[in-house]
Amino acid sequence: MEYISKSNIAKIVGNTLVNASTTDRCKKIISWSWEMLGSILIMMGSPLSVKGLDSDDDCKDKITAKETEKEFTLVLDLDETLIRSEMERTSFLDEEIIVKIGNTIEKYYVKIRPFARDFLKALSKYFELVIFTAALKEYADKVIDYLDPSGFIKRRFYRDSCTKKDGVFYKDLTKVNSNLEKTFIIDNSLSGMSLNPQNGLLIKSWYDDLKDQELKIYDAMLKKNVKPKENIVQCIKQMKRKYPKNVLN
């Protein structure tokens, strides 16, 4: 193995490292480090043979590990937030979903809110996405499977996870994540987020407006205002001041 001097390393870095991808840089730097160590061992008379990386796998894992971690959990309501459903077919509600609850078979007709699938895809890169609905599991699972065939939604919470009082179902976000500095909810119902109002963003209920832009607005708003290492409660306070017409005050 040729001895790699300090000047030779500078030449190699100048010629090959500048235009290399992040993965290639990682591989080259580690390989050069092994070569330098090998040269030193050979000069010292060591019988050890030192090899560089044979593949990119280890390097890629180290580079992307932090990138794939989701710091924040975004909890989403289902009905009138992401979809609308009814038990009677109309020309507007076009997707039929059959739900079995006990011995009863029920049919629901569903329409997905404009931009909902794009919203899930885009924000899944930044947040852990969770559904928290007051609906029954049997119904919610069918609807979510239709809404999110790609599996961007990672966890699901149903009526049995809600806190019921005086006939109203409340959503306690600590059941999703005990760290409320990193957890927030988007819901069309004030009661749905009333247990953790400082962690909630209110969205306009959706019924049939095909020109609705709310999810597109929220997509851009969250990307711009939720910053790494920050307390989500403070981020929400800032958004409420900046976008009073779109979020809960």
Side-chain angles (χ1 to χ4, degrees), residues 207-224:
Y207 300 105
D208 56 11
D209 181 9
L210 294 179
K211 295 182 180 180
D212 179 82
Q213 299 275 318
E214 289 293 292
L215 291 176
K216 193 172 184 179
I217 292 171
Y218 274 70
D219 178 3
M221 183 174 67
L222 294 176
K223 288 177 182 176
K224 184 176 181 180

Side-chain angles (χ1 to χ4, degrees), residues 39-56:
S39 297
I40 294 170
L41 291 173
I42 289 172
M43 292 175 65
M44 295 174 63
S46 171
L48 293 176
S49 174
V50 182
K51 296 182 179 180
L53 293 178
D54 294 326
S55 70
D56 293 341

Side-chain angles (χ1 to χ4, degrees), residues 71-106:
E71 180 181 355
F72 297 97
T73 298
L74 170 54
V75 181
L76 298 165
D77 175 51
L78 187 59
D79 289 273
E80 280 80 62
T81 295
L82 296 174
I83 62 99
R84 183 197 170 191
S85 74
E86 297 287 349
M87 296 186 73
E88 294 184 5
R89 182 189 288 275
T90 67
S91 58
F92 177 73
L93 302 170
D94 49 12
E95 181 66 25
E96 181 182 274
I97 291 178
I98 299 175
V99 179
K100 183 178 181 181
I101 302 176
N103 295 322
T104 303
I105 302 295
E106 297 179 348

Side-chain angles (χ1 to χ4, degrees), residues 16-248:
T16 64
L17 194 58
V18 172
N19 296 320
S21 66
T22 303
T23 299
D24 288 336
R25 289 176 192 162
C26 179
K27 180 180 177 181
K28 286 183 173 65
I29 290 170
I30 294 174
S31 296
W32 293 335
S33 298
W34 282 121
E35 289 178 5
M36 290 176 66
L37 178 58
S39 297
I40 294 170
L41 291 173
I42 289 172
M43 292 175 65
M44 295 174 63
S46 171
L48 293 176
S49 174
V50 182
K51 296 182 179 180
L53 293 178
D54 294 326
S55 70
D56 293 341
D57 293 342
D58 293 337
C59 188
K60 284 182 178 178
D61 289 342
K62 292 175 183 177
I63 291 170
T64 60
K66 289 186 178 180
E67 295 174 0
T68 58
E69 293 175 0
K70 303 297 190 301
E71 180 181 355
F72 297 97
T73 298
L74 170 54
V75 181
L76 298 165
D77 175 51
L78 187 59
D79 289 273
E80 280 80 62
T81 295
L82 296 174
I83 62 99
R84 183 197 170 191
S85 74
E86 297 287 349
M87 296 186 73
E88 294 184 5
R89 182 189 288 275
T90 67
S91 58
F92 177 73
L93 302 170
D94 49 12
E95 181 66 25
E96 181 182 274
I97 291 178
I98 299 175
V99 179
K100 183 178 181 181
I101 302 176
N103 295 322
T104 303
I105 302 295
E106 297 179 348
K107 291 183 180 180
Y108 291 87
Y109 300 93
V110 179
K111 189 77 170 181
I112 296 175
R113 188 172 195 161
F115 305 106
R117 283 178 171 159
D118 292 337
F119 176 86
L120 295 175
K121 180 179 180 180
L123 292 186
S124 68
K125 299 175 183 178
Y126 303 92
F127 309 111
E128 177 198 20
L129 300 184
V130 176
I131 290 289
F132 201 155
T133 175
L136 294 174
K137 181 180 188 300
E138 293 84 352
Y139 160 84
D141 278 342
K142 291 281 188 177
V143 174
I144 296 169
D145 290 344
Y146 169 60
L147 167 68
D148 181 34
S150 299
F152 296 119
I153 296 165
K154 298 306 180 185
R155 292 189 287 154
R156 306 174 182 187
F157 292 79
Y158 315 96
R159 181 175 296 179
D160 58 2
S161 294
C162 292
T163 301
K164 186 178 180 180
K165 183 178 180 181
D166 299 327
V168 179
F169 294 98
Y170 300 93
K171 300 167 186 176
D172 182 357
L173 295 184
T174 61
K175 293 185 178 182
V176 178
N177 188 339
S178 60
N179 186 358
L180 292 183
E181 292 185 358
K182 301 296 179 181
T183 308
F184 64 114
I185 184 171
I186 295 177
D187 202 318
N188 70 305
S189 169
L190 287 172
S191 61
M193 64 179 74
S194 61
L195 294 182
N196 313 103
Q198 70 279 6
N199 296 76
L201 295 171
L202 185 68
I203 192 169
K204 179 182 176 182
S205 297
W206 184 73
Y207 300 105
D208 56 11
D209 181 9
L210 294 179
K211 295 182 180 180
D212 179 82
Q213 299 275 318
E214 289 293 292
L215 291 176
K216 193 172 184 179
I217 292 171
Y218 274 70
D219 178 3
M221 183 174 67
L222 294 176
K223 288 177 182 176
K224 184 176 181 180
N225 292 279
V226 178
K227 305 294 177 60
K229 311 300 182 183
E230 290 192 5
N231 184 331
I232 192 63
V233 175
Q234 298 305 316
C235 294
I236 289 174
K237 286 182 179 179
Q238 293 173 9
M239 283 187 278
K240 288 176 181 178
R241 289 194 293 266
K242 292 172 67 175
Y243 310 97
K245 293 183 179 180
N246 294 97
V247 297
L248 177 63

